[in-house]
Structure formats: C-alpha cells, structure tokens
C-alpha cells in the first residue's frame, strides 16, 4: 500500500529553526499583548485545576453530609455553587480574552507579512511570472498565509496551554 500524502504540496522550510525565529520576531512587536495572553493561559489553567478539585469538594463536603444527615439547609451548598460559578466565569473570560487578543496579534502579523510578500513580488523578474501561473502564485501565497495564521492564533497558544 503506498504511503498516504498529507495536504499541501510537500514543501518544507529550508531551515525550520530560522523560520520559527523569524515568526517570533514578528511577534515581538506585540510583546505586551502576548504577555497578556500568557496571563490568560495561566489563569485558565489555574481555573481548570481549581474547578476539578472544587467538584470533588462539592461532593465530599456538601452533598454527602447533607444526604447522610438528611439536612434540608441548602445555604452552604448554594454559596459554594455560586463560588464555583464565579470560578467557571473567570475561566470563560480568560479563554475569551486569550482568543480575542491572539486574533489581533495574528491580524497584525498577517498584514505585515502580506506587505512584505507584496514588496518581494514587485521585485521579482518578469520571467518568474511567465513560468508560473497567476493562480499557482496566489494559491501558494494564500495557503502559506493561512497556515501562518493558524499557527499563530491556534497552535502556539494551544502548545503553551498544554505545557502549562
């Protein structure tokens, strides 16, 4: 059985390390926004771990004692559920802010890369355009930019979040 080909045309960066460093250089322009994104990632990770332990606490400290004593006083349980809802709300806000801020960073980097690509395309010799179809050139540009967008807005934050 022949090997399965992945999407794309099989092109790879000549020097992936250099390419990644170049992308991070673009991101340096947004260092304060990225710092805010990191704070959101840490907050979301903290909330996630806190909510998991809180659910265990809910069962052990509130539900089981109420069942065993037959108590009808739901006030402590209600207060804890409100606290738990606040924890989940903080997590939702942190995740939203992370996504929102990364969209801004991604759009800014995309604009800069597109401008640089356009300037580079203006300096290419006419022979390049004679040997490559316009559709092929534009397809490569849009595909590469979309891959860059996906990496910056999703892959990098998800990797950092997984590490945290």
């Amino acid at each position: 059985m022949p090997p399965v080909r992945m999407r794309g045309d099989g092109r790879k960066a000549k020097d992936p390390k250099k390419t990644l460093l170049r992308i991070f250089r673009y991101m340096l322009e947004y260092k304060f926004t990225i710092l805010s994104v990191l704070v959101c990632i840490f907050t979301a990770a903290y909330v996630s771990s806190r909510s998991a332990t809180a659910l265990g606490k809910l069962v052990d400290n509130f539900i089981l004692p109420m069942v065993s004593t037959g108590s009808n006083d739901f006030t402590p349980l209600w207060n804890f559920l409100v606290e738990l809802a606040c924890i989940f709300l903080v997590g939702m806000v942190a995740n939203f802010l992370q996504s929102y801020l990364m969209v801004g960073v991604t759009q800014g980097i995309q604009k800069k890369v597109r401008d640089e690509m356009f300037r580079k395309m203006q300096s290419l010799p006419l022979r390049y355009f004679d040997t490559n179809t316009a559709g092929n050139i534009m397809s490569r540009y849009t595909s590469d930019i979309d891959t860059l967008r996906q990496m910056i807005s999703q892959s990098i934050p998800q990797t950092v979040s997984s590490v945290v």
Side-chain angles (χ1 to χ4, degrees), residues 5-10 143 146-147 150:
R5 282 203 45 139
M6 299 302 283
R7 262 183 25 179
D9 59 6
S143 173
D146 188 53
T147 302
Q150 187 174 4

Side-chain angles (χ1 to χ4, degrees), residues 1 27 33 39 62-63 74 77 91 98 116 118 130 135 151 155:
M1 192 161 149
M27 293 174 81
T33 305
V39 168
F62 295 99
I63 295 175
F74 289 97
L77 178 63
Q98 170 195 336
E116 287 179 13
F118 182 75
D130 289 340
M151 186 185 111
S155 299

Side-chain angles (χ1 to χ4, degrees), residues 126-149:
L126 195 54
R127 180 182 69 241
Y128 178 80
F129 298 101
D130 289 340
T131 58
N132 294 289
T133 63
N136 187 28
I137 294 169
M138 293 312 295
S139 175
R140 284 185 136 182
Y141 279 162
T142 56
S143 173
D144 290 350
I145 288 289
D146 188 53
T147 302
L148 181 66
R149 176 200 56 81

Side-chain angles (χ1 to χ4, degrees), residues 34-82:
I34 296 208
L35 187 62
S36 300
V37 168
L38 287 174
V39 168
C40 290
I41 288 172
F42 279 103
T43 302
Y46 172 75
V47 165
S48 178
S49 66
R50 175 89 192 267
S51 64
T53 58
L55 290 175
K57 186 178 173 184
L58 173 69
V59 171
D60 294 341
N61 295 351
F62 295 99
I63 295 175
L64 290 178
M66 284 180 67
V67 169
S68 66
T69 62
S71 172
N72 289 334
D73 182 21
F74 289 97
T75 306
L77 178 63
W78 177 251
N79 291 338
F80 186 76
L81 289 175
V82 168

Side-chain angles (χ1 to χ4, degrees), residues 90-107:
V90 167
M92 287 175 15
V93 169
N95 282 324
F96 172 78
L97 279 175
Q98 170 195 336
S99 298
Y100 181 79
L101 292 172
M102 281 311 294
V103 165
V105 170
T106 304
Q107 292 297 320

